[in-house]
Amino acid sequence: MSSILVKNEARLGLKLVAPAVGIIGLLVIYPILFNVYLSFFDVQLNGSKTFVGLDNYTDLLGNPRYYHSIGVSVIYLIGTVVGTTVLGLAASILMNQEFRFRNLARGLILLPYFAPVISVVFGWQFIFDPVNGIYNHVVVDVLHLTDTRENLIGNPDSALFVVILFDIWKHFPIAYLLFLAKLQSVPKDLYEAAAIDGQNAWGRFWHVTLPELRFVIATVVLLRIIWNLNRFEDVYLLAPNVETLPIFTYYQAFAGIVDQGGAAAISVIQLLVLVGLIWLYVRKVLKW
Amino acid sequence: MSSVILRNVNKSYGNLPIVKNLNLEVKDGEFVVLVGPSGCGKSTTLRMVAGLEDITQGDIQIGQRAINDLPPHKRNIAMVFQNYALYPHMSVRENIVFGLKKSGADAETIKQKLADVSEMLKLDDYLDRKPADLSGGQRQRVAMGRALARDADVYLFDEPLSNLDAKLRHHMRSEIARIQHQYNMTAIYVTHDQIEAMTLGDRVVVMRDGIVEQVGTPMDIYLQPTNTFVATFIGSPAMNLFEATIDGDDLVFDQYRIPASKIANVDLHDLGSHDTVLVGIRPDFFEDSALSSPSDNLFEFNDIQVDLVENLGFDKEIMFKLGGEDAKARLDLRSHVKRQEHISLSVDLNRVLLFDTSPQGMLINAGEV
Ligand SMILES: Nc1ncnc2c1ncn2[C@@H]1O[C@H](COP(=O)(O)OP(=O)(O)O)[C@@H](O)[C@H]1O
Ligand SMILES: [Mg+2]
């Protein structure tokens, strides 16, 4: 494109985003700044604040529960990001093949993504219910894999994996959708050229599909990291005993000994980490 | 290198036959060109050889191997696609050596081939670029390079020059011819451009609607087209066809009576079984009578009114009416004909072809070329 056109478009772009920037400024920037401000105070429920300097931060960094929740969050992030990406990729490749009822199947795959969290969470809790759940019924009564009925959601260690599984199930369709859209635009003759060049199906996937999907995969991974670093409702509703960072923050801020200043300190650190991650990612991985 | 044999090859999509009972043998080291109008099944035929389309019926053999059930990656063929199909994320260098690497060539061979190919196709300055940063002509050369770098049994080309401008197309045409001879490649080349077909092919296969109309050397096809389709498809401007009635031993149209006995390879007895025939005269075989030296076998069309003269440099093309049809002649630059003039045109009757008036329009006076 000629540079005049680029400039014109940039100017139009600025005009178009200006109102949004204003609103975002109010709704996002202000709370962030207020949050940073709060993190230097001891905040009482009645609203009175005392300046405590870096106390909130030092307290936090001396709190083993904080490190535990970081560990949980890291496992949760790796599990869900890898899981949704791989499952989404597999589903999109499958749905890109020709077969009967393909359009129906393509639609059905999206269902978990559209279903309201609150209703599917109850479904999942029921599946893993120690007394009446299907999971225990199948594992213990049908397959006889073990004798003891497990409360998978009750135990925080196993609940973490249920929560990861739930997130993969619920969110792989968005990855699938993005991958499928891109797959459909990969020129067919690239596959043909690769076949002529001696590549079998696996080689064609490796040398054509993956490189073509590179940016979409990177985008999906980035989005999933951002979403899931902050993910609250899915985890809290399904298994509130899984203490990822957002859950830990919530307990800090609103449960037991209410400590909004401490919670603010957590979110400030989390924000910094997130911004750093995104910066690194955009510069090094996406090379945009 | 290997020969390629297609035996009774058929291809249908659903119930729709696209390629019908095609037989062709491409000899080791031979350059065969498939030519025909768009949609006649050339690409489909080529893609069956490549393994990109399955064969509905019949057999294809490369060398001694029956390849019907062999997937493309096991056929050891190289192919140049019409839209080049370069790998966008790979540099020119990686594109060129991609297939070679896969075939298990050692590092030294790869280096040597890359150097050869990039020198031959003048790609040395672009080896580190991505396809997106190349012009159409450069991309075309990379696509050629990717195929030529391979040590394949057969090289397939699907209209590789059709996206280039005229000058570049001409240049690449000569390059392909030179490279093919240098490497003695077995090649099947698809084009709808009859000039490419005539200049490149050791043999040319003319197709129409999934059927092979004629196979032969370019000269065979030019001088002895088996029917009116081939006669008018090959050659530019197209061959003139005039319907003539048969009166004794003469072919009659307008005020002209052409003595059939002077036309090559005519069986007068057989001719008597027709009421009418089509007389085919290539524009190139007309001469300005003012310039032709009289000879026994020349027939003169006198009193021709010139409707239009187009000067093409060395030749000029003139348009006129003959036998109730628009006709064309190509005369050389010494001729001074002008628009609206009345002139005489001569034709060597040895060069005149006769076709029957059946829908196929079969050549009547087939003979030695
Ligand atoms: N996948 C397909 N399904 C149905 N018809 C097809 C398909 N591919 C090609 N055809 C038809 O087959 C005919 C021959 O196509 P093609 O071999 O590409 O012709 P060309 O001689 O121009 O290369 C065309 O009429 C085309 O419409
Ligand atoms: Mg074609």
Side-chain angles (χ1 to χ4, degrees):
Chain A
M1 232 193 296
S2 83
S3 64
I4 289 185
L5 289 188
V6 173
K7 267 186 215 151
N8 279 346
E9 195 169 305
R11 219 173 296 141
L12 175 66
L14 276 180
K15 282 182 200 157
L16 288 176
V17 298
V21 167
I23 293 170
I24 289 173
L26 281 177
L27 293 183
V28 177
I29 306 291
Y30 171 74
I32 287 178
L33 291 180
F34 188 62
N35 204 38
V36 174
Y37 167 80
L38 273 189
S39 71
F40 298 109
F41 287 84
D42 182 12
V43 185
Q44 300 301 318
L45 264 186
N46 61 14
S48 64
K49 301 188 272 281
T50 25
F51 182 75
V52 294
L54 289 175
D55 276 6
N56 283 330
Y57 290 94
T58 47
D59 282 355
L60 188 62
L61 296 178
N63 183 351
R65 259 181 83 193
Y66 178 57
Y67 294 104
H68 177 255
S69 72
I70 288 177
V72 172
S73 264
V74 167
I75 297 174
Y76 179 73
L77 269 185
I78 293 176
T80 55
V81 171
V82 172
T84 45
T85 307
V86 171
L87 190 60
L89 191 57
S92 66
I93 288 169
L94 191 68
M95 289 301 140
N96 202 32
Q97 316 293 318
E98 300 276 348
F99 58 88
R100 267 162 66 90
F101 306 120
R102 180 171 75 169
N103 287 340
L104 184 69
R106 279 182 175 179
L108 284 179
I109 283 195
L110 294 174
L111 275 184
Y113 191 67
F114 293 139
V117 184
I118 190 68
S119 56
V120 287
V121 155
F122 284 129
W124 274 64
Q125 279 171 343
F126 178 69
I127 290 173
F128 293 103
D129 185 278
V131 182
N132 300 312
I134 296 169
Y135 171 82
N136 277 304
H137 175 70
V138 170
V139 168
V140 179
D141 300 338
V142 179
L143 297 176
H144 304 290
L145 292 180
T146 101
D147 295 338
T148 45
R149 291 175 165 265
E150 303 275 354
N151 186 354
L152 285 187
I153 292 183
N155 174 351
D157 290 335
S158 52
L160 174 57
F161 291 95
V162 175
V163 164
I164 290 174
L165 221 56
F166 176 78
D167 179 87
I168 294 174
W169 171 80
K170 180 128 181 57
H171 294 281
F172 87 90
I174 191 70
Y176 148 83
L177 208 57
L178 291 167
F179 291 145
L180 185 61
K182 177 65 198 176
L183 276 182
Q184 287 173 325
S185 74
V186 178
K188 209 171 111 246
D189 57 6
L190 283 187
Y191 290 102
E192 296 181 344
I196 299 279
D197 275 337
Q199 300 292 342
N200 59 17
W202 172 248
R204 296 196 290 273
F205 172 75
W206 193 254
H207 293 290
V208 178
T209 309
L210 272 189
E212 284 286 306
L213 285 180
R214 194 173 38 169
F215 285 110
V216 184
I217 292 176
T219 308
V220 165
V221 168
L222 176 63
L223 287 177
R224 297 293 297 140
I225 290 177
I226 296 173
W227 292 341
N228 275 5
L229 197 59
N230 295 328
R231 171 97 39 215
F232 179 78
E233 73 281 13
D234 293 18
V235 182
Y236 188 74
L237 290 174
L238 182 58
N241 53 354
V242 176
E243 228 170 79
T244 58
L245 268 175
I247 309 281
F248 172 67
T249 313
Y250 173 78
Y251 288 147
Q252 281 287 323
F254 302 111
I257 314 147
V258 174
D259 179 7
Q260 290 192 17
I266 304 173
S267 36
V268 168
I269 294 177
Q270 196 170 333
L271 179 71
L272 290 178
V273 169
L274 198 53
V275 168
L277 266 183
I278 293 170
W279 179 83
L280 196 77
Y281 191 82
V282 170
R283 296 304 295 268
K284 301 290 170 199
V285 181
L286 292 181
K287 295 207 186 83
W288 275 333
Chain B
M1 299 297 156
S2 285
S3 60
V4 182
I5 300 172
L6 292 91
R7 256 187 235 102
N8 303 324
V9 169
N10 285 274
K11 173 74 186 179
S12 311
Y13 287 112
N15 289 327
L16 190 69
I18 299 292
V19 173
K20 301 161 196 165
N21 215 38
L22 186 137
N23 284 285
L24 178 65
E25 180 169 352
V26 181
K27 295 188 209 70
D28 194 3
E30 192 180 26
F31 198 128
V32 165
V33 178
L34 306 186
V35 67
S38 249
C40 71
K42 307 176 300 283
S43 295
T44 306
T45 305
L46 197 72
R47 292 165 59 80
M48 282 192 282
V49 175
L52 300 174
E53 302 284 351
D54 48 300
I55 303 161
T56 308
Q57 217 176 61
D59 295 299
I60 299 183
Q61 200 177 312
I62 296 181
Q64 300 305 315
R65 294 182 298 159
I67 53 158
N68 279 38
D69 300 321
L70 223 51
H73 64 270
K74 292 188 178 157
R75 291 194 183 191
N76 196 28
I77 43 179
M79 182 161 171
V80 180
F81 292 80
Q82 185 169 3
N83 297 316
Y84 315 143
L86 301 176
Y87 309 116
H89 60 284
M90 294 184 198
S91 65
V92 168
R93 179 196 318 275
E94 290 164 328
N95 264 284
I96 291 176
V97 303
F98 183 66
L100 191 60
K101 253 188 192 157
K102 177 67 191 173
S103 70
D106 59 73
E108 193 50 43
T109 316
I110 292 176
K111 214 175 124 197
Q112 192 54 50
K113 273 278 190 182
L114 176 68
D116 284 356
V117 165
S118 82
E119 200 211 310
M120 178 167 62
L121 295 167
K122 303 191 179 60
L123 287 170
D124 287 335
D125 296 340
Y126 312 112
L127 288 178
D128 293 316
R129 290 211 202 158
K130 295 278 171 65
D133 303 327
L134 299 176
S135 71
Q138 291 161 346
R139 280 179 213 174
Q140 202 280 338
R141 299 211 300 270
V142 178
M144 292 286 295
R146 182 172 66 179
L148 295 177
R150 297 269 311 281
D151 191 9
D153 288 339
V154 189
Y155 294 80
L156 306 176
F157 301 84
D158 193 353
E159 312 221 13
L161 306 184
S162 62
N163 292 340
L164 302 183
D165 62 61
K167 194 166 165 220
L168 203 52
R169 188 155 61 221
H170 191 119
H171 171 72
M172 284 310 295
R173 198 170 73 209
S174 330
E175 283 296 293
I176 291 175
R178 192 173 60 75
I179 294 163
Q180 192 266 339
H181 285 296
Q182 184 178 341
Y183 285 85
N184 198 31
M185 302 174 346
T186 307
I188 307 180
Y189 186 106
V190 160
T191 180
H192 66 268
D193 180 323
Q194 45 124 352
I195 297 180
E196 268 172 44
M198 299 297 275
T199 50
L200 284 173
D202 291 325
R203 279 191 305 151
V204 173
V205 178
V206 184
M207 290 179 72
R208 172 173 58 163
D209 290 344
I211 290 176
V212 172
E213 296 283 354
Q214 186 168 5
V215 183
T217 65
M219 273 304 119
D220 281 343
I221 289 184
Y222 190 71
L223 296 174
Q224 294 269 294
T226 51
N227 56 34
T228 50
F229 170 76
V230 178
T232 50
F233 186 75
I234 299 288
S236 169
M239 182 186 283
N240 303 298
L241 292 172
F242 313 106
E243 188 166 329
T245 50
I246 294 174
D247 181 13
D249 284 353
D250 289 344
L251 309 172
V252 180
F253 61 93
D254 291 354
Q255 72 271 39
Y256 309 109
R257 298 184 74 89
I258 304 175
S261 57
K262 290 196 176 174
I263 297 176
N265 303 314
V266 173
D267 177 343
L268 289 174
H269 180 72
D270 177 48
L271 197 62
S273 63
H274 300 269
D275 296 331
T276 56
V277 292
L278 291 171
V279 177
I281 305 175
R282 290 209 180 273
D284 309 74
F285 295 154
F286 281 112
E287 284 180 279
D288 185 342
S289 297
L291 300 169
S292 59
S293 39
S295 108
D296 200 25
N297 231 12
L298 278 193
F299 182 84
E300 209 165 291
F301 294 96
N302 46 30
D303 200 25
I304 296 233
Q305 187 190 328
V306 179
D307 291 334
L308 193 68
V309 179
E310 278 181 342
N311 281 302
L312 303 175
F314 181 75
D315 327 281
K316 52 190 64 179
E317 250 173 56
I318 64 168
M319 297 226 291
F320 51 95
K321 285 259 186 320
L322 195 58
E325 305 279 340
D326 282 320
K328 279 189 177 178
R330 200 194 308 236
L331 307 178
D332 75 43
L333 79 174
R334 293 170 301 160
S335 171
H336 293 295
V337 296
K338 302 243 161 27
R339 204 169 157 228
Q340 303 301 346
E341 257 179 11
H342 288 256
I343 60 164
S344 295
L345 291 175
S346 342
V347 120
D348 178 355
L349 289 181
N350 279 320
R351 291 284 176 235
V352 169
L353 300 174
L354 302 181
F355 301 93
D356 67 28
T357 49
S358 70
Q360 291 80 22
M362 301 305 289
L363 183 66
I364 296 174
N365 58 336
E368 300 301 310
V369 179

